[in-house]
Amino acid sequence: MRITLKDIAKELNLSASTVSKALSDSYEISAETKKLVKEYAAKHNFRPNKIAQNLKTGRSNTIGVVMCSISNNFVAQLLDGIQTASEAGHYDIIIMQSRNLESLEKQAIEVLRMRGIDGLLLVPMASNSSEKELKELQAAGIPVVIVDRTFHSLDTHKVGANNFYGAYQATKHLLERGKKNIYHLTVKGLGVSEERLKGYNAALEEAGIPVNPAQVIAIDQSTGRSVEELIKEAIHPLLASATRPDALFCATDEITSRTLGILADLAVVVPQEIAVIGFSNTPNANALNPALSAVVQPARLMGEIGVLKLNELMKSKNKEVEFETIALATELVIRKSSL
Amino acid sequence: MRITLKDIAKELNLSASTVSKALSDSYEISAETKKLVKEYAAKHNFRPNKIAQNLKTGRSNTIGVVMCSISNNFVAQLLDGIQTASEAGHYDIIIMQSRNLESLEKQAIEVLRMRGIDGLLLVPMASNSSEKELKELQAAGIPVVIVDRTFHSLDTHKVGANNFYGAYQATKHLLERGKKNIYHLTVKGLGVSEERLKGYNAALEEAGIPVNPAQVIAIDQSTGRSVEELIKEAIHPLLASATRPDALFCATDEITSRTLGILADLAVVVPQEIAVIGFSNTPNANALNPALSAVVQPARLMGEIGVLKLNELMKSKNKEVEFETIALATELVIRKSSL
DNA sequence: TTGTACGCGTTATCAG
DNA sequence: CTGATAACGCGTACAA
């Protein structure tokens, strides 16, 4: 068992409250007593019981994080940023996954709430998912910050990337490279992908190229089949068709890497036959076949700013705050796959 | 504010303890009362305050996880497995990073302990890091399971991969492909890499090839310089030398991917000029240049088993347990880089 | 079958 | 400057 305030009090012939105050440097305690208590505490390796502190104070110094998945590069980097920033702010974080299921998302929020978090960082799975639960949380004085999916309906701070402009830039780059028939590969039901599609469309329109819905291919992950398979099925007929693309714009990390792998398998020469560019945060972009040109999201920064904004809200309890939506700039890194 | 036991009690003209018992299905409460209470609780969305429960019961239903880093594929997958398994066991997890610093590792353990975790899952940074703190934890009845780094000195369950055999297999594969001059690229001070080196050596010895220390190149990350740079510096002279390698065995995920990228930059044709194989859990192995042959660790499984073993220890409080060290089989996936 | 009293470890209030 | 007391929300002997 570990030593408690009471133990110290008994040993030193003081009261528990005096010890408590001494340890928290209260002005009402004499320097002498403070020294005595602190030395004893240090010597016996006393650590206050957080649980009891939490119960008493109503705060937990913990922020909850709910994300769709944790095993992809973007999210791993995001988490890294969140971790770093919360350490700096002396917050602990509890991480839960929603696995892209609203039921799990709701459950995760509920679990975190029961645990007594001081704030929530959420990568929501859809545009108004868990809205009721989130509003309840806010009503209970627990602030929420939305990360990545800035299109979510909740009224609060939101931090994401400028998906529109990132996609616009990438598409424009392909156009500047002389590509005429650019396909857009994306996934169904992923919120951020809509902005990316708009960016793609905007670049085409600006170049005077009519937007052709047939050039937009949306992978449906809800089928339960692997993304790899689905992309293959989508790409095969394309290669044989009269309207064979000369460039592919891939809207997500996974699609981008997989597409590159599939094209390599098919011995399609990238970028000579087909150029490829996409959103990706893989640290291996250089080692891909060929080195991948990519729109890179500032994932770590996103996590850090998310924590920062949450911190603001947690400090400014009850004050009226003007909520903002922050769109961080993406970075277009040109390597070989798009040249 | 949220509704408490007392509120329900007052509203229903019962005592708090009756309500508490009713909700936990105590045999001493009448079916009638139970129904009444439960319905009221459900209707008013009552959730017991975990903090209070924890304080009372001394358990928190939380397991702490401390790992070196969270932004690499292996760890992300490991975390995913841990998450999955702890959800199944109705445990929440708190994740902290040690960033490969023993001071941070100790601190993380301390923070988790103060938070009142029921068990700890640790990927230790060195062979006897934080041993004192871990022993204290165990002495306080909080079990610890070591993950990945099974060479750690603590007496407890340990779950890792069979690094020796994985490396042995990979090296043997290179030998079977006729490679004569296989170099080993590794990092300094990473515990698991030692076993991998032994596996490499064993395969060479078995083939009657004398082990040559000059063929082992250890990257020193403590310099603060990037792994990319360091590998470049190591590889450049090699390529020009009389003893130019015909194969590289890379001991870690990062080294493997980076090496592939560097060789591509240098226009060294893999595997014709130099074959490459290594430990890697990247999901993009197919898309690498060329498709990467790799020793894959069962990271998710490792996480799940870690939680399982921890669960065993948490249940069997005080009982004598025979600690075991589990070495999970790796998988050798041959693609193009080693052919 | 239900209620009372107490304690988990801490902090806050108030009295001395 | 220090100490007694109450309280946070819950669970549990024990009493009724």
Side-chain angles (χ1 to χ4, degrees):
Chain A
M1 275 292 97
R2 94 181 299 155
I3 188 173
T4 75
L5 274 187
K6 271 187 196 165
D7 300 329
I8 301 186
K10 202 181 300 171
E11 206 62 39
L12 262 38
N13 282 320
L14 290 170
S15 76
S17 48
T18 303
V19 175
S20 170
K21 286 173 191 166
L23 288 172
S24 57
D25 250 334
S26 163
Y27 65 94
E28 6 175 30
I29 302 294
S30 71
E32 210 177 4
T33 308
K34 277 186 191 171
K35 183 156 170 279
L36 182 69
V37 170
K38 284 185 179 174
E39 272 173 3
Y40 186 92
K43 189 175 158 206
H44 290 75
N45 203 12
F46 168 78
R47 296 283 176 278
N49 181 324
K50 281 251 182 196
I51 305 273
Q53 274 181 332
N54 296 346
L55 180 60
K56 182 65 191 167
T57 62
R59 278 167 300 98
S60 64
N61 285 306
T62 304
I63 70 185
V65 178
V66 178
M67 26 189 49
C68 305
S69 147
I70 50 180
S71 54
N72 75 59
N73 290 310
F74 171 73
V75 172
Q77 290 164 26
L78 184 65
L79 217 47
D80 199 38
I82 292 175
Q83 251 280 165
T84 310
S86 25
E87 249 167 40
H90 301 286
Y91 281 99
D92 299 334
I93 66 180
I94 301 187
I95 299 163
M96 313 218 62
Q97 279 183 271
S98 68
R99 297 178 189 289
N100 277 310
L101 295 173
E102 187 161 3
S103 60
L104 283 186
E105 185 177 284
K106 282 189 181 19
Q107 192 186 313
I109 294 172
E110 192 50 44
V111 168
L112 290 174
R113 185 171 175 188
M114 287 177 21
R115 272 229 114 64
I117 52 171
D118 293 344
L120 176 68
L121 234 42
L122 174 69
V123 180
M125 49 145 314
S127 63
N128 56 357
S129 57
S130 311
E131 188 165 344
K132 182 167 144 273
E133 289 75 11
L134 294 171
K135 280 188 172 159
E136 278 176 22
L137 219 54
Q138 290 182 315
I142 300 167
V144 179
V145 167
I146 301 286
V147 182
D148 187 35
R149 318 291 167 90
T150 52
F151 50 80
H152 193 277
S153 54
L154 192 73
D155 190 28
T156 188
H157 286 322
K158 295 167 196 170
V159 190
N162 194 332
N163 289 293
F164 174 87
Y165 193 65
Y168 166 83
Q169 271 188 304
T171 311
K172 194 170 172 192
H173 161 72
L174 290 175
L175 291 166
E176 282 167 355
R177 296 293 305 170
K179 304 303 172 188
K180 303 287 182 209
N181 192 16
I182 307 170
Y183 273 63
H184 184 87
L185 260 64
T186 184
V187 289
K188 268 208 173 69
L190 176 66
V192 283
S193 61
E194 286 168 30
E195 283 299 307
R196 295 176 189 169
L197 177 56
K198 283 185 196 160
Y200 159 85
N201 284 337
L204 292 183
E205 274 171 19
E206 191 186 88
I209 298 179
V211 170
N212 177 0
Q215 290 182 321
V216 177
I217 297 173
I219 303 290
D220 185 358
Q221 282 184 295
S222 68
T223 57
R225 300 178 50 210
S226 82
V227 175
E228 174 101 17
E229 255 185 293
L230 293 168
I231 301 177
K232 270 187 193 162
E233 277 186 16
I235 287 185
H236 278 176
L238 239 51
L239 296 178
S241 79
T243 57
R244 195 183 210 254
D246 57 4
L248 298 176
F249 176 91
C250 302
T252 76
D253 202 331
E254 182 164 20
I255 290 185
T256 312
S257 308
R258 292 257 182 270
T259 298
L260 224 45
I262 290 169
L263 292 178
D265 279 348
L266 297 171
V268 172
V269 184
V270 178
Q272 288 79 357
E273 292 183 60
I274 299 184
V276 174
I277 198 167
F279 273 74
S280 177
N281 273 56
T282 176
N284 296 339
N286 260 316
L288 292 175
N289 183 17
L292 176 67
S293 295
V295 181
V296 180
Q297 298 187 71
R300 285 191 175 76
L301 184 63
M302 200 181 292
E304 287 172 22
I305 295 186
V307 174
L308 232 64
K309 300 312 279 181
L310 188 59
N311 236 312
E312 274 181 34
L313 294 179
M314 292 189 299
K315 307 260 160 176
S316 71
K317 276 243 193 281
N318 308 328
K319 263 181 242 159
E320 277 297 315
V321 205
E322 189 72 22
F323 289 130
E324 38 182 334
T325 295
I326 302 175
L328 300 172
T330 58
E331 188 188 0
L332 181 62
V333 181
I334 307 295
R335 294 195 185 85
K336 292 189 185 153
S337 69
S338 65
L339 294 181
Chain B
M1 278 291 97
R2 93 181 299 153
I3 186 174
T4 76
L5 274 188
K6 268 189 200 163
D7 300 330
I8 301 186
K10 202 182 299 171
E11 206 62 38
L12 262 39
N13 282 321
L14 291 170
S15 77
S17 59
T18 304
V19 175
S20 169
K21 288 174 188 166
L23 287 173
S24 57
D25 251 334
S26 164
Y27 64 95
E28 10 176 24
I29 302 294
S30 71
E32 211 176 3
T33 308
K34 277 185 191 171
K35 184 156 169 279
L36 182 70
V37 171
K38 284 184 177 174
E39 273 173 1
Y40 186 91
K43 189 175 158 207
H44 290 75
N45 202 13
F46 169 78
R47 295 284 175 280
N49 181 324
K50 280 254 183 196
I51 306 271
Q53 273 182 332
N54 296 345
L55 181 58
K56 182 66 193 165
T57 61
R59 280 170 299 98
S60 64
N61 284 306
T62 305
I63 69 186
V65 178
V66 178
M67 28 189 48
C68 306
S69 146
I70 51 180
S71 54
N72 74 60
N73 290 309
F74 171 74
V75 172
Q77 290 165 27
L78 184 65
L79 217 46
D80 199 38
I82 291 174
Q83 252 280 165
T84 309
S86 23
E87 250 166 39
H90 302 286
Y91 280 99
D92 299 334
I93 66 179
I94 301 188
I95 299 162
M96 313 217 63
Q97 280 183 270
S98 68
R99 299 179 187 286
N100 277 309
L101 295 174
E102 186 160 3
S103 60
L104 283 186
E105 185 177 283
K106 282 190 182 18
Q107 193 186 312
I109 294 172
E110 193 50 45
V111 167
L112 290 173
R113 183 171 177 189
M114 287 178 19
R115 273 228 112 64
I117 51 172
D118 292 345
L120 175 68
L121 234 43
L122 173 69
V123 180
M125 49 147 314
S127 62
N128 57 357
S129 56
S130 311
E131 188 166 343
K132 182 167 145 272
E133 289 74 12
L134 294 171
K135 281 188 171 158
E136 277 176 23
L137 218 54
Q138 289 182 316
I142 300 167
V144 179
V145 168
I146 301 286
V147 182
D148 187 35
R149 318 290 168 92
T150 52
F151 50 80
H152 193 277
S153 53
L154 192 73
D155 190 28
T156 188
H157 286 322
K158 296 168 196 169
V159 190
N162 194 332
N163 289 292
F164 174 87
Y165 193 65
Y168 166 82
Q169 271 187 304
T171 311
K172 193 170 172 192
H173 160 73
L174 290 175
L175 290 166
E176 282 167 356
R177 297 292 306 171
K179 305 303 172 188
K180 304 287 182 209
N181 192 15
I182 307 172
Y183 272 63
H184 184 87
L185 260 63
T186 184
V187 289
K188 268 208 173 69
L190 176 65
V192 284
S193 60
E194 285 168 30
E195 283 299 307
R196 295 176 189 169
L197 176 57
K198 284 185 195 160
Y200 159 86
N201 283 337
L204 292 183
E205 275 171 19
E206 190 186 87
I209 298 180
V211 170
N212 177 358
Q215 289 182 321
V216 177
I217 297 173
I219 303 290
D220 185 358
Q221 282 184 294
S222 69
T223 58
R225 299 178 51 209
S226 82
V227 176
E228 175 100 19
E229 253 183 296
L230 294 168
I231 302 178
K232 270 188 194 161
E233 278 186 16
I235 287 186
H236 277 176
L238 240 50
L239 296 178
S241 80
T243 57
R244 196 183 210 253
D246 56 5
L248 298 176
F249 175 91
C250 303
T252 76
D253 202 331
E254 182 164 20
I255 290 185
T256 312
S257 309
R258 292 256 182 270
T259 298
L260 225 45
I262 291 169
L263 292 178
D265 278 350
L266 297 172
V268 173
V269 185
V270 178
Q272 287 80 357
E273 293 183 61
I274 299 183
V276 174
I277 197 166
F279 272 74
S280 177
N281 273 56
T282 175
N284 295 339
N286 259 316
L288 292 174
N289 182 20
L292 177 67
S293 296
V295 182
V296 180
Q297 298 186 73
R300 286 191 175 77
L301 184 63
M302 199 182 293
E304 287 172 22
I305 294 187
V307 174
L308 231 63
K309 299 312 279 181
L310 188 58
N311 237 311
E312 274 181 33
L313 295 179
M314 292 190 298
K315 308 261 161 179
S316 72
K317 276 245 195 276
N318 308 329
K319 262 181 244 161
E320 277 296 314
V321 206
E322 190 73 21
F323 290 130
E324 39 182 334
T325 295
I326 302 175
L328 300 172
T330 58
E331 189 188 0
L332 181 62
V333 181
I334 307 295
R335 293 195 185 85
K336 293 189 186 153
S337 69
S338 66
L339 295 181

